[in-house]
Amino acid sequence: SMPDEVPLDEQCERLPYDASKWEFARERLKLGKSLGRGAFGKVVQASAFGIKKSPTCRTVAVKMLKEGATASEYKALMTELKILTHIGHHLNVVNLLGACTKQGGPLMVIVEYCKYGNLSNYLKSKRDLFFLNKDAALHMEPKKEKMEPGLEQGKKPRLDSVTSSESFASSGFQEDKSLSDVEEEEDSDGFYKEPITMEDLISYSFQVARGMEFLSSRKCIHRDLAARNILLSENNVVKICDFGLARDIYKNPDYVRKGDTRLPLKWMAPESIFDKIYSTKSDVWSYGVLLWEIFSLGGSPYPGVQMDEDFCSRLREGMRMRAPEYSTPEIYQIMLDCWHRDPKERPRFAELVEKLGDLL
């Protein structure tokens, strides 16, 4: 085992790739539409026949480089593949399923596909459909009203002939569709019309903490933990991912230009911004910001604040966000704990799992 001080990607670079375990024949992969693209890479949806010894066809996501990628970008994707093989399987991580590394075609890393897109867009789509508890959902079903005999002419009876599904369809998904690349038409299970509850929000928070507890136990530092990097799968399961090369950080306002690089400043701990120190403790800080995103239903952190030197120094001096709209005092306290100025004082992911498990 290599010393802890060496970053995981440098450790993994030297590891062998076990083709006998992971190699998948390209001809069994049928590539489909794009799910994300950046300066160097892209992620596409695909159908894989017989992956993981399955007798069926499975929808997967494939990470690959764009035309004209350099040797160093190739190496970065290869290293990512090795990191994924090293990390191993967990329910709350977007897991590796296979790879195509053999000569005669592009390098492809095959991972789980998450049908419902990223958590940030999904939560925004739910803003009209948030109920504080499961029972509240029952009282919100629109009633079909009969034509009352003394109804004034010209006044339409409220919601007459409007099905509950139509009234729920204004979940804001229409304008978001291209963004999250989700076809609502395909969606037979009415997932976008289901109300979301406090329990769901706490469950997402708990699952991300569990995924991060696992990643940190495997010596993995994420560095870009945010709702845009959490994907939603079936059965309300959320999974941590990282678009890495396949995110357009040049177009995305979440990545702020600092010198010759672009950084997700709103999600970064002060020691990462000022001293380029990344650790599991800086991931815990980012997790606190992710909690804020969850409990504001996909709000943009530090609303109305300019991302500039002044922001950075105010953060260092102790400026913190106020509680988001849907958080409870307990949840907000967890955020503040994650934003402790001293990294050593921030909770461990194992403690966060326990706290959120209790709330759940």
Side-chain angles (χ1 to χ4, degrees), residues 120 144 177 206 211 267 274 295 325 356:
S120 181
K144 283 207 170 169
K177 211 178 284 177
F206 170 72
W267 285 265
F274 290 103
F295 289 91
E325 187 171 358
L356 286 152

Side-chain angles (χ1 to χ4, degrees), residues 336-350:
L336 292 174
D337 295 343
C338 292
W339 300 331
H340 202 291
R341 61 183 316 157
D342 179 357
K344 292 192 289 296
E345 293 296 318
R346 295 172 202 154
R348 298 175 57 243
F349 280 115

Side-chain angles (χ1 to χ4, degrees), residues 3 9 17 25-26 34-35 71 91 105 115 125 133 144 157-158 197-198 202 239 262 267 288 303 309 344:
D9 50 0
Y17 158 72
R26 292 174 202 282
S34 166
L35 299 172
L91 178 65
K115 180 172 175 188
S125 79
N133 57 48
K144 283 207 170 169
R158 193 175 61 84
T197 67
M198 191 63 169
I202 297 171
K239 292 174 176 280
R262 284 168 195 257
W267 285 265
E309 294 300 325
K344 292 192 289 296

Side-chain angles (χ1 to χ4, degrees), residues 101-117:
T101 67
K102 295 265 192 289
Q103 290 302 311
L107 173 59
M108 303 198 244
V109 176
I110 308 165
V111 296
E112 290 174 317
Y113 171 68
C114 298
K115 180 172 175 188
Y116 298 112

Side-chain angles (χ1 to χ4, degrees), residues 177-354:
K177 211 178 284 177
S178 59
L179 255 175
S180 45
D181 241 322
V182 174
E183 273 115 344
E184 205 174 6
E185 296 79 42
E186 279 177 13
D187 178 43
S188 52
D189 51 12
F191 189 74
Y192 297 109
K193 305 184 180 81
E194 275 297 303
I196 195 171
T197 67
M198 191 63 169
E199 187 186 335
D200 294 324
L201 301 186
I202 297 171
S203 168
Y204 299 151
S205 308
F206 170 72
Q207 292 180 63
V208 174
R210 267 217 312 214
M212 285 307 300
E213 176 187 25
F214 169 72
L215 289 176
S216 59
S217 78
R218 305 292 290 136
K219 302 280 184 277
C220 182
I221 303 167
H222 192 290
R223 290 176 171 225
D224 195 9
L225 190 56
R228 62 182 168 272
N229 275 326
I230 305 298
L231 299 183
L232 187 53
S233 193
E234 256 128 344
N235 305 323
N236 247 1
V237 171
V238 296
K239 292 174 176 280
I240 301 164
C241 78
D242 178 17
F243 275 89
L245 295 174
R247 165 165 284 119
D248 193 343
I249 62 175
Y250 302 97
K251 283 206 188 79
N252 189 324
D254 289 343
Y255 296 86
V256 180
R257 200 177 137 191
K258 204 172 187 302
D260 54 2
T261 132
R262 284 168 195 257
L263 298 172
L265 279 186
K266 291 180 176 185
W267 285 265
M268 288 168 68
E271 72 272 13
S272 306
I273 297 175
F274 290 103
D275 312 307
K276 298 186 171 62
I277 294 172
Y278 291 89
S279 66
T280 291
K281 291 304 189 192
S282 60
D283 276 348
V284 168
W285 176 291
S286 307
Y287 176 81
V289 181
L290 168 58
L291 282 183
W292 189 95
E293 293 183 273
I294 290 174
F295 289 91
S296 61
L297 295 186
S300 183
Y302 304 96
V305 179
Q306 280 298 118
M307 289 297 110
D308 51 20
E309 294 300 325
D310 184 45
F311 164 79
C312 298
S313 48
R314 276 159 57 202
L315 199 60
R316 189 183 237 166
E317 283 152 26
M319 167 191 70
R320 298 296 181 261
M321 284 188 280
R322 281 198 286 265
E325 187 171 358
Y326 300 100
S327 78
T328 63
E330 296 87 359
I331 298 276
Y332 183 51
Q333 188 54 55
I334 295 175
M335 292 178 210
L336 292 174
D337 295 343
C338 292
W339 300 331
H340 202 291
R341 61 183 316 157
D342 179 357
K344 292 192 289 296
E345 293 296 318
R346 295 172 202 154
R348 298 175 57 243
F349 280 115
E351 290 167 53
L352 293 165
V353 168
E354 196 179 342

